[in-house]
Amino acid sequence: MAKPSRRALLLLAALIPAGWGLVVGWWTPRGPGGNLDAVVSVLASLAVGLLAGRLGRSRWAMLAAPVLFALAVELARIPLRGPTVDAPHLSGFGVAALVLGRGLHGLFTLLPLLVGAAYGAGLARRATRRAAAVPPVTGAAGDGRQTPEPATGAADGSRHTPEPATSTGDARAATDVRTGGPAVGGAPMRRRPGWTWAGRVVVGLLAAVVALVTVAAAVPARTAPVPGGIAELTSVRSGDRELGLTLRGADRNAPVLLFLPGGPGSSEVGSVRRHLVGLERHVVLATLDRRGGARSWAAFAPSSSFTLDSEVADVIAVVEHLRQRFRQDRVYLMGHSGGSLVGVTAVQRRPELFHAYVGVGQAVDLRAADISQYADTVAWARRTGRADLADQLTRLGPPPYPDLYTYEPLLANEAGAFDFDRTGNAEGRDGVAENLDVPEYTLLEKAHALSGNLDGWDVLYPQLQQLDLRRDVRRLDVPVYLVDGAHEVPGRLALTREWYARLEAPRKEHVVLDGAGHRSLFQRPGPVTDLLTRMLTETRGPGV
């Protein structure tokens, strides 16, 4: 059977990584979602690289295989939107998106692909050298056996046995006189140049990095047990997506409180575990990772189907699961920041599922709040000598803006423009970022807790700007408790007070906590826990 031509082998060496790139772009377009995805990505990429390098038989495979793979991935995920998959952007948020998106994705695919291609090419070249070192010898019958030369008679009648050849070329066939080592194909072996050994060292170090990354990605998340209670890291299906859910409580029969974190694609499991542990004595605390956040990363929907309605549907699916799991007719719902818009909408549509609603840092009208924040930030920039920022914002003009990067000057300077004395606060200025070091997150989920917020915010935030609770939610048929920090962004707090004054509800209360800002439930967890404990006694009814 004829061997494949060199051209055919090179074509295969190109098609295999490109095909794997299309699979990855469809399977994990924003990067591996969980431990299993990450480990499979590494092992499969190693195998693809090894095969491509072996077929290509060249160091160029180390470059060609990753490049073809990357191009195929980018082609497959063109329909997606978000900073981690869009074109790179030269800004602080842009660098973060590049590292957490393409950088992290490459760590589990491109890097092992490169290492595999390097070893595959090396194995192919070694096999070629070995084949060249043993030339084929055939006998008279062509059966592959060497036929010895017969002895010949001399003129004097004696028999003469031919001596082995001792020519210079034959001597080299046995030994390379320059290196003292074996020669290949009748030609002396050359000493390997220093860069060859350096390349081997580099590839070896990269292989070690791949091994360490694989082991780190395989370490599972865990949550400390609650004696006599419940402590679980689980998931709930919403449509065709799996959403991460953390359950903790000292009493399985206690009322269930579902917490919705802030921005789209966000996760606050670390913040809840660090600062709201006191609630576990009174409720079964269910903390949801919103679609695209940390343990719900794999559930990030295509941009076209990531909407307020899909977010509300997720909440309803989780509530139905909790009602069935804990045999309770209703649950309590608490939403923070952007999660409060989703929470209010869910309560408005399905009030029969809820005992009461708690809004912390309640969002009311994002467009109006952003315009107010814009004016305050420009004034702060001018007052504090930040002329560049003031000029940048002036050039942009007031919001709304089309994407995350245009909002970056406002978002990146919010903590500075609206800073306050945090003495005695449980949480500092870094918010989510300072609460990632908890065992409930895997290494991969810690990265997703940040990148999910970037992509989710970019896709969903512009849609949410169409919602104004003063116009769209005038009545809720459950008790309503609102919590704000006294140092909340002034425009937001004013809007909350205006909506609260107009809202009709069976019971309503608005609490403003001193020494706290937008993240008041994590900054002042004691008063928030006290309020929620009182709420339980005021609102528990039949079916609990």
Side-chain angles (χ1 to χ4, degrees), residues 134-152:
V134 186
V137 180
T138 59
D143 60 0
R145 293 176 296 178
Q146 184 175 5
T147 304
E149 182 180 347
T152 60

Side-chain angles (χ1 to χ4, degrees), residues 221-538:
R222 58 183 176 80
T223 189
V226 178
I230 184 171
E232 289 184 14
L233 299 176
T234 185
S235 63
V236 176
R237 178 164 287 276
S238 175
D240 60 344
R241 310 282 173 167
E242 290 287 334
L243 304 173
L245 187 68
T246 302
L247 299 173
R248 291 186 60 85
D251 181 2
R252 292 173 177 265
N253 298 315
V256 176
L257 172 64
L258 174 61
F259 174 65
L260 303 181
S266 66
S267 170
E268 292 278 13
V269 171
S271 307
V272 170
R273 285 291 294 120
R274 284 197 165 184
H275 305 301
L276 297 182
V277 65
L279 275 177
E280 296 174 9
R281 297 194 299 270
H282 308 285
V283 298
V284 174
L285 184 54
T287 305
L288 177 66
D289 280 0
R290 291 176 64 181
R291 188 174 294 213
R295 293 178 53 238
S296 298
W297 178 255
F300 205 120
S303 304
S304 60
S305 61
F306 194 19
T307 64
L308 174 62
D309 287 342
S310 71
E311 291 280 276
V312 172
D314 288 346
V315 172
I316 300 302
V318 173
V319 169
E320 294 286 13
H321 169 82
L322 293 172
R323 292 173 66 224
Q324 182 178 5
R325 167 86 186 266
F326 294 99
R327 299 180 181 178
Q328 297 186 18
D329 292 336
R330 300 174 180 232
V331 304
Y332 291 90
L333 183 64
M334 178 166 65
H336 173 238
S337 189
S340 66
L341 286 176
V342 178
V344 163
T345 306
V347 171
Q348 182 189 42
R349 294 180 182 179
R350 298 291 302 277
E352 74 278 6
L353 301 179
F354 303 98
H355 283 299
Y357 169 73
V358 183
V360 184
Q362 178 70 47
V364 175
D365 179 351
L366 296 179
R367 185 187 295 257
D370 289 344
I371 293 173
S372 174
Q373 181 175 343
Y374 168 86
D376 289 343
T377 304
V378 171
W380 167 78
R382 288 173 175 161
R383 187 173 63 249
T384 57
R386 293 172 169 82
D388 290 345
L389 176 60
D391 292 343
Q392 181 185 13
L393 289 171
T394 301
R395 287 193 301 271
L396 286 174
Y401 304 131
D403 54 41
L404 175 70
Y405 291 130
T406 319
Y407 275 98
E408 184 172 352
L410 281 182
L411 297 175
N413 289 282
E414 180 176 322
F418 304 97
D419 203 5
F420 59 94
D421 183 4
R422 300 171 189 268
T423 303
N425 276 8
E427 183 181 79
R429 291 183 58 177
D430 294 332
V432 174
E434 68 183 61
N435 297 312
L436 295 178
D437 191 21
V438 294
E440 282 79 7
Y441 287 133
T442 66
L443 183 64
L444 195 59
E445 289 164 357
K446 291 177 182 180
H448 290 337
L450 301 175
S451 56
N453 208 333
L454 293 174
D455 279 358
W457 201 100
D458 188 77
V459 173
L460 191 59
Y461 193 83
Q463 301 177 47
L464 297 179
Q465 290 181 326
Q466 308 305 316
L467 188 62
D468 182 352
L469 300 188
R470 297 169 299 177
R471 177 193 66 223
D472 302 322
V473 183
R474 295 177 176 270
R475 175 181 176 82
L476 290 175
D477 294 325
V478 303
V480 175
Y481 295 78
L482 302 180
V483 181
D484 279 299
H487 300 282
E488 174 64 273
V489 175
R492 296 175 189 163
L493 186 54
L495 287 166
T496 300
R497 284 173 167 153
E498 185 179 346
W499 177 60
Y500 175 78
R502 300 181 183 181
L503 179 67
E504 297 180 12
R507 177 196 296 267
K508 65 179 184 177
E509 181 176 350
H510 186 197
V511 176
V512 179
L513 300 176
D514 292 333
H518 186 60
R519 294 173 61 83
S520 57
L521 73 169
F522 304 126
Q523 295 160 347
R524 298 287 309 280
V528 172
T529 299
D530 292 341
L531 170 65
L532 295 179
T533 303
R534 174 166 58 84
M535 176 194 69
L536 295 176
T537 63
E538 293 174 349

Side-chain angles (χ1 to χ4, degrees), residues 112-135:
L113 194 67
L114 185 151
V115 170
Y119 279 106
L123 290 173
R125 292 195 304 273
R126 182 176 300 178
T128 300
R129 287 197 299 267
R130 286 177 177 171
V134 186

